[in-house]
Amino acid sequence: MVAGKVALVTGARRGIGLATARLLAAAGARVVLLNRAGDGDGSSLDELAGDLAASHATECLAVTADVADPSQLSDGYRAILKRFGRLDILVNNAGILGDARLGMIPDAMIRQVIDTNLIAVIANIQAASRLMRRSGGGAIVSVTSIVGLRGNPGQVVYAASKAGIVGATLSAAKELAADGIRVNAVAPGFIETDMIGHLGPEVTAERLDGIPLGRAGSAEEVAEAIVFLASERARYITGQVLGVDGGMVL
Ligand code: NDP
């Protein structure tokens, strides 16, 4: 129920973003994979887009842009408009951590995390909704975190950025409903991606202990929830934050 739609996924080079881009392409969507320029490790965005398009007989476009840089982001939207002339789905997935205890948080870190995780999400919602309105509607799904709902020591800035996504989602859902645009979020718990790779065995064991389903989630399991909310199957759902956390918030 996303076949033929044009879907933009931010942070699509790895993790949850790449899993979402794969699932959307497999379901027949035309996918824009947006990511900041990499540091040389891992696959190139162009290769990923080419492989996805070939394996699923669909069209994919790679856009290199830092979501926190307004001019790169607007160039990205220009490229989407030029190639597809429309946008139906936005997945606001790009995000970074910035872990530090209070009193030890550098100003630059505060700004980088808020710019990337929150301001860019709002900028994307603005730019995407302008395009969606022109074609009669669309669906926006943003990736928040259970940390934005529950807080976590050492993650004041990250939690604030993710809580901000919840407020933005609820307000945009109310504002954009009349334009046929649904706005939802997913709140993953502890998901096996590079983002949690730096955690030591003790912290990992402690996190796993707090998960009633007894294991970490996979990027694909989060992607399933995102694609559901983005699809016509969720046509009567807006303004929701869907936990994908194995029961971690219970
Ligand atoms: P990863 O670190 O594996 O992937 C993040 C992706 O976002 C990378 O491709 C990265 O690019 C890209 N990215 C980061 N900053 C920017 C930027 N400024 N502009 C464009 N692209 C950018 O993370 P996950 O897949 O784990 O996380 C995805 C989302 O899920 C994030 O918003 C995260 O906060 C959220 N989340 C993750 C959880 C987890 O347990 N993993 C739990 C809860 C929420 P690059 O390759 O260049 O680094």
Side-chain angles (χ1 to χ4, degrees), residues 44 52 65 85 90 93 102 130 133 146 158 170 175 181 191 202 222 242:
S44 93
L52 268 190
L90 163 67
N93 163 78
L102 269 176
R130 274 187 209 118
R133 222 179 262 129
I146 57 162
Y158 181 74
L170 302 182
E175 198 171 317
I181 302 170
I191 310 300
E202 260 175 47
V222 181
L242 177 58

PDB file of all heavy atoms in Angstrom, residues 44 52 65 85 90 93 102 130 133 146 158 170 175 181 191 202 222 242:
ATOM      1  N   SER A  44      28.537   3.334  -0.485  1.00  0.00           N
ATOM      2  CA  SER A  44      28.188   4.676  -0.939  1.00  0.00           C
ATOM      3  C   SER A  44      26.676   4.724  -1.150  1.00  0.00           C
ATOM      4  O   SER A  44      26.033   3.717  -1.473  1.00  0.00           O
ATOM      5  CB  SER A  44      28.937   5.020  -2.220  1.00  0.00           C
ATOM      6  OG  SER A  44      28.140   4.696  -3.334  1.00  0.00           O
ATOM      7  N   LEU A  52      19.131  -1.016  -4.715  1.00  0.00           N
ATOM      8  CA  LEU A  52      17.714  -1.117  -4.318  1.00  0.00           C
ATOM      9  C   LEU A  52      16.791  -1.021  -5.530  1.00  0.00           C
ATOM     10  O   LEU A  52      15.840  -1.802  -5.662  1.00  0.00           O
ATOM     11  CB  LEU A  52      17.349   0.025  -3.374  1.00  0.00           C
ATOM     12  CG  LEU A  52      17.483  -0.209  -1.879  1.00  0.00           C
ATOM     13  CD1 LEU A  52      16.851   0.941  -1.112  1.00  0.00           C
ATOM     14  CD2 LEU A  52      16.791  -1.509  -1.509  1.00  0.00           C
ATOM     15  N   ALA A  65      23.089  15.045   1.622  1.00  0.00           N
ATOM     16  CA  ALA A  65      22.797  16.312   2.284  1.00  0.00           C
ATOM     17  C   ALA A  65      22.844  16.108   3.789  1.00  0.00           C
ATOM     18  O   ALA A  65      22.435  15.061   4.288  1.00  0.00           O
ATOM     19  CB  ALA A  65      21.407  16.818   1.885  1.00  0.00           C
ATOM     20  N   GLY A  85       8.862  15.232  -9.138  1.00  0.00           N
ATOM     21  CA  GLY A  85       7.768  16.206  -9.239  1.00  0.00           C
ATOM     22  C   GLY A  85       6.764  16.141  -8.097  1.00  0.00           C
ATOM     23  O   GLY A  85       5.738  16.816  -8.123  1.00  0.00           O
ATOM     24  N   LEU A  90       7.339  11.099   3.974  1.00  0.00           N
ATOM     25  CA  LEU A  90       8.604  11.559   4.574  1.00  0.00           C
ATOM     26  C   LEU A  90       8.882  10.711   5.808  1.00  0.00           C
ATOM     27  O   LEU A  90       8.017  10.584   6.684  1.00  0.00           O
ATOM     28  CB  LEU A  90       8.494  13.030   5.009  1.00  0.00           C
ATOM     29  CG  LEU A  90       9.565  13.510   6.008  1.00  0.00           C
ATOM     30  CD1 LEU A  90      10.963  13.524   5.371  1.00  0.00           C
ATOM     31  CD2 LEU A  90       9.223  14.909   6.540  1.00  0.00           C
ATOM     32  N   ASN A  93      14.256  10.169   9.897  1.00  0.00           N
ATOM     33  CA  ASN A  93      14.959   9.153  10.687  1.00  0.00           C
ATOM     34  C   ASN A  93      16.348   9.600  11.153  1.00  0.00           C
ATOM     35  O   ASN A  93      16.803   9.155  12.213  1.00  0.00           O
ATOM     36  CB  ASN A  93      15.073   7.873   9.843  1.00  0.00           C
ATOM     37  CG  ASN A  93      16.115   6.927  10.393  1.00  0.00           C
ATOM     38  OD1 ASN A  93      15.872   6.214  11.373  1.00  0.00           O
ATOM     39  ND2 ASN A  93      17.310   6.927   9.801  1.00  0.00           N
ATOM     40  N   LEU A 102      25.290  16.086  32.817  1.00  0.00           N
ATOM     41  CA  LEU A 102      25.034  17.512  32.996  1.00  0.00           C
ATOM     42  C   LEU A 102      26.265  18.170  33.594  1.00  0.00           C
ATOM     43  O   LEU A 102      26.909  17.616  34.485  1.00  0.00           O
ATOM     44  CB  LEU A 102      23.863  17.714  33.953  1.00  0.00           C
ATOM     45  CG  LEU A 102      22.488  17.795  33.315  1.00  0.00           C
ATOM     46  CD1 LEU A 102      21.422  17.906  34.382  1.00  0.00           C
ATOM     47  CD2 LEU A 102      22.402  18.977  32.352  1.00  0.00           C
ATOM     48  N   ARG A 130       4.718  21.123   2.231  1.00  0.00           N
ATOM     49  CA  ARG A 130       4.432  22.017   1.096  1.00  0.00           C
ATOM     50  C   ARG A 130       4.226  21.197  -0.184  1.00  0.00           C
ATOM     51  O   ARG A 130       3.290  21.433  -0.943  1.00  0.00           O
ATOM     52  CB  ARG A 130       5.611  22.976   0.868  1.00  0.00           C
ATOM     53  CG  ARG A 130       5.521  24.195   1.729  1.00  0.00           C
ATOM     54  CD  ARG A 130       6.607  25.206   1.370  1.00  0.00           C
ATOM     55  NE  ARG A 130       6.904  25.965   2.583  1.00  0.00           N
ATOM     56  CZ  ARG A 130       8.092  25.993   3.186  1.00  0.00           C
ATOM     57  NH1 ARG A 130       9.119  25.359   2.692  1.00  0.00           N
ATOM     58  NH2 ARG A 130       8.234  26.687   4.294  1.00  0.00           N
ATOM     59  N   ARG A 133       0.961  18.900   0.066  1.00  0.00           N
ATOM     60  CA  ARG A 133      -0.275  19.666  -0.107  1.00  0.00           C
ATOM     61  C   ARG A 133      -0.614  19.813  -1.591  1.00  0.00           C
ATOM     62  O   ARG A 133      -1.772  19.717  -1.986  1.00  0.00           O
ATOM     63  CB  ARG A 133      -0.067  21.053   0.505  1.00  0.00           C
ATOM     64  CG  ARG A 133      -1.254  21.544   1.282  1.00  0.00           C
ATOM     65  CD  ARG A 133      -0.997  22.899   1.881  1.00  0.00           C
ATOM     66  NE  ARG A 133      -0.595  22.824   3.275  1.00  0.00           N
ATOM     67  CZ  ARG A 133       0.482  23.416   3.793  1.00  0.00           C
ATOM     68  NH1 ARG A 133       1.305  24.114   3.025  1.00  0.00           N
ATOM     69  NH2 ARG A 133       0.748  23.306   5.059  1.00  0.00           N
ATOM     70  N   ILE A 146      12.254   6.136  23.093  1.00  0.00           N
ATOM     71  CA  ILE A 146      11.669   6.044  24.438  1.00  0.00           C
ATOM     72  C   ILE A 146      12.386   6.992  25.393  1.00  0.00           C
ATOM     73  O   ILE A 146      11.802   7.416  26.384  1.00  0.00           O
ATOM     74  CB  ILE A 146      11.701   4.604  25.014  1.00  0.00           C
ATOM     75  CG1 ILE A 146      13.112   4.046  25.061  1.00  0.00           C
ATOM     76  CG2 ILE A 146      10.783   3.684  24.268  1.00  0.00           C
ATOM     77  CD1 ILE A 146      13.208   2.869  26.003  1.00  0.00           C
ATOM     78  N   TYR A 158      19.846  14.728  24.094  1.00  0.00           N
ATOM     79  CA  TYR A 158      19.202  13.764  23.181  1.00  0.00           C
ATOM     80  C   TYR A 158      17.717  13.619  23.556  1.00  0.00           C
ATOM     81  O   TYR A 158      16.836  13.669  22.686  1.00  0.00           O
ATOM     82  CB  TYR A 158      19.923  12.416  23.290  1.00  0.00           C
ATOM     83  CG  TYR A 158      19.386  11.325  22.398  1.00  0.00           C
ATOM     84  CD1 TYR A 158      19.634  11.324  21.030  1.00  0.00           C
ATOM     85  CD2 TYR A 158      18.639  10.268  22.931  1.00  0.00           C
ATOM     86  CE1 TYR A 158      19.151  10.303  20.211  1.00  0.00           C
ATOM     87  CE2 TYR A 158      18.153   9.242  22.122  1.00  0.00           C
ATOM     88  CZ  TYR A 158      18.411   9.270  20.765  1.00  0.00           C
ATOM     89  OH  TYR A 158      17.931   8.259  19.955  1.00  0.00           O
ATOM     90  N   LEU A 170       2.584  15.938  17.254  1.00  0.00           N
ATOM     91  CA  LEU A 170       1.185  16.152  17.660  1.00  0.00           C
ATOM     92  C   LEU A 170       0.634  17.436  17.050  1.00  0.00           C
ATOM     93  O   LEU A 170      -0.500  17.466  16.542  1.00  0.00           O
ATOM     94  CB  LEU A 170       1.087  16.201  19.186  1.00  0.00           C
ATOM     95  CG  LEU A 170       1.589  14.964  19.942  1.00  0.00           C
ATOM     96  CD1 LEU A 170       1.386  15.121  21.445  1.00  0.00           C
ATOM     97  CD2 LEU A 170       0.894  13.695  19.461  1.00  0.00           C
ATOM     98  N   GLU A 175      -2.452  20.339  12.615  1.00  0.00           N
ATOM     99  CA  GLU A 175      -2.433  21.399  11.614  1.00  0.00           C
ATOM    100  C   GLU A 175      -2.601  20.862  10.188  1.00  0.00           C
ATOM    101  O   GLU A 175      -3.224  21.509   9.349  1.00  0.00           O
ATOM    102  CB  GLU A 175      -1.101  22.144  11.749  1.00  0.00           C
ATOM    103  CG  GLU A 175      -1.122  23.495  11.107  1.00  0.00           C
ATOM    104  CD  GLU A 175       0.130  24.296  11.447  1.00  0.00           C
ATOM    105  OE1 GLU A 175       0.571  24.293  12.612  1.00  0.00           O
ATOM    106  OE2 GLU A 175       0.673  24.915  10.521  1.00  0.00           O
ATOM    107  N   ILE A 181      -2.776  15.221   5.229  1.00  0.00           N
ATOM    108  CA  ILE A 181      -1.424  14.766   5.590  1.00  0.00           C
ATOM    109  C   ILE A 181      -1.462  14.204   7.012  1.00  0.00           C
ATOM    110  O   ILE A 181      -1.828  14.910   7.961  1.00  0.00           O
ATOM    111  CB  ILE A 181      -0.404  15.925   5.501  1.00  0.00           C
ATOM    112  CG1 ILE A 181      -0.404  16.518   4.089  1.00  0.00           C
ATOM    113  CG2 ILE A 181       0.997  15.440   5.908  1.00  0.00           C
ATOM    114  CD1 ILE A 181       0.376  17.818   3.957  1.00  0.00           C
ATOM    115  N   ILE A 191      17.653  -0.897  19.977  1.00  0.00           N
ATOM    116  CA  ILE A 191      17.654  -1.502  18.638  1.00  0.00           C
ATOM    117  C   ILE A 191      19.100  -1.759  18.195  1.00  0.00           C
ATOM    118  O   ILE A 191      19.951  -0.861  18.299  1.00  0.00           O
ATOM    119  CB  ILE A 191      16.958  -0.559  17.615  1.00  0.00           C
ATOM    120  CG1 ILE A 191      15.580  -0.089  18.135  1.00  0.00           C
ATOM    121  CG2 ILE A 191      16.828  -1.249  16.253  1.00  0.00           C
ATOM    122  CD1 ILE A 191      14.567  -1.171  18.426  1.00  0.00           C
ATOM    123  N   GLU A 202      28.315  -4.168  30.255  1.00  0.00           N
ATOM    124  CA  GLU A 202      27.491  -3.949  31.462  1.00  0.00           C
ATOM    125  C   GLU A 202      26.228  -3.159  31.151  1.00  0.00           C
ATOM    126  O   GLU A 202      25.128  -3.539  31.564  1.00  0.00           O
ATOM    127  CB  GLU A 202      28.292  -3.165  32.501  1.00  0.00           C
ATOM    128  CG  GLU A 202      28.862  -4.055  33.582  1.00  0.00           C
ATOM    129  CD  GLU A 202      29.741  -3.284  34.537  1.00  0.00           C
ATOM    130  OE1 GLU A 202      29.323  -2.191  34.987  1.00  0.00           O
ATOM    131  OE2 GLU A 202      30.842  -3.786  34.816  1.00  0.00           O
ATOM    132  N   VAL A 222      11.707  -2.070  13.435  1.00  0.00           N
ATOM    133  CA  VAL A 222      11.286  -0.664  13.512  1.00  0.00           C
ATOM    134  C   VAL A 222      10.772  -0.223  12.132  1.00  0.00           C
ATOM    135  O   VAL A 222       9.746   0.458  12.027  1.00  0.00           O
ATOM    136  CB  VAL A 222      12.449   0.242  13.977  1.00  0.00           C
ATOM    137  CG1 VAL A 222      11.973   1.693  14.068  1.00  0.00           C
ATOM    138  CG2 VAL A 222      12.995  -0.227  15.324  1.00  0.00           C
ATOM    139  N   LEU A 242       4.036   5.494  18.217  1.00  0.00           N
ATOM    140  CA  LEU A 242       3.971   4.041  18.368  1.00  0.00           C
ATOM    141  C   LEU A 242       5.288   3.500  18.940  1.00  0.00           C
ATOM    142  O   LEU A 242       6.345   3.633  18.315  1.00  0.00           O
ATOM    143  CB  LEU A 242       3.687   3.418  16.991  1.00  0.00           C
ATOM    144  CG  LEU A 242       3.650   1.891  16.893  1.00  0.00           C
ATOM    145  CD1 LEU A 242       2.594   1.299  17.821  1.00  0.00           C
ATOM    146  CD2 LEU A 242       3.372   1.472  15.453  1.00  0.00           C
TER     147      LEU A 242
END
